[in-house]
Amino acid sequence: MAKAKKKKAGMTMLAWIMLAVMAVGLILSVVGIFTDWITTKGEVLGGLVSGDSSQTLQDLFESQSDFRELDEDYSIKYFDITYTCAWITLIAVAAAFGCFLVGGLLKMKLLKTIGMIAGVLAIVAGIMAAVFTALMGKEMSADAGIASATTSLAVGCYLTLIGGIVGGAGAIISGASK
């Protein structure tokens, strides 16, 4: 009987598909970081006057920096951890994508392992960014009887969350496949 020859081709079709999935997750994370992160809806006199505004992470960062110049103890509650988790999500998805691309082309198993770890980190950090953004929005919301303001997650936060989950899942699936 003839023995089956072992295939020595580079990356498998599943690895290429998961690499494309990680690329989509990376794109979603990048777009999410730079678009509106939170939305504030205000209302006065029971809805007689209302308005909406949105802020990106950079807007929030600059706002906090401006207020810290006046009062060094000032901080938007939960902003620092939200900002950190959002950037960790983006960096982890990029690292997973890079590790799997280079590791797949050079057949390095160490990069595959690092890519899987980065994928898990991307998922966790994406979820934490959304959770801390929701907590920050709860702190920023106010109700003073005749006037109220409600702060909630905007499209950027959702895109970063989805990008972290998609990119991280792609890394885990690709790393777990043989």
Side-chain angles (χ1 to χ4, degrees):
M1 286 208 167
K3 290 185 178 182
K5 291 185 179 180
K6 194 172 186 178
K7 190 176 180 182
K8 289 203 173 198
M11 294 175 55
T12 64
M13 183 58 85
L14 178 65
W16 283 108
I17 292 170
M18 289 300 113
L19 194 63
V21 167
M22 284 183 263
V24 168
L26 179 59
I27 291 168
L28 289 173
S29 294
V30 168
V31 171
I33 289 279
F34 296 107
T35 56
D36 292 338
W37 194 261
I38 60 170
T39 301
T40 303
K41 296 180 182 184
E43 181 174 288
V44 178
L45 298 173
L48 186 61
V49 179
S50 62
D52 296 355
S53 69
S54 298
Q55 291 181 303
T56 63
L57 274 175
Q58 187 62 32
D59 294 338
L60 291 166
F61 181 79
E62 289 170 1
S63 174
Q64 181 160 302
S65 296
D66 291 343
F67 281 115
R68 279 198 177 151
E69 288 178 8
L70 301 173
D71 178 15
E72 42 182 72
D73 293 332
Y74 176 83
S75 74
I76 300 170
K77 195 167 186 182
Y78 300 112
F79 174 73
D80 292 333
I81 189 71
T82 298
Y83 191 75
T84 303
C85 288
W87 281 102
I88 287 173
T89 303
L90 175 64
I91 292 167
V93 173
F97 177 76
C99 285
F100 275 100
L101 180 63
V102 173
L105 295 175
L106 299 179
K107 299 178 186 172
M108 296 177 68
K109 292 190 185 244
L110 176 63
L111 288 178
K112 189 176 185 181
T113 304
I114 293 170
M116 283 181 66
I117 293 168
V120 171
L121 181 62
I123 292 171
V124 171
I127 292 169
M128 288 176 58
V131 167
F132 285 117
T133 300
L135 291 172
M136 180 177 66
K138 187 176 178 184
E139 289 291 322
M140 294 174 79
S141 299
D143 189 3
I146 61 170
S148 65
T150 306
T151 303
S152 59
L153 284 66
V155 68
C157 184
Y158 289 118
L159 287 176
T160 302
L161 171 64
I162 293 167
I165 292 172
V166 167
I172 292 169
I173 292 169
S174 183
S177 67
K178 298 232 175 196

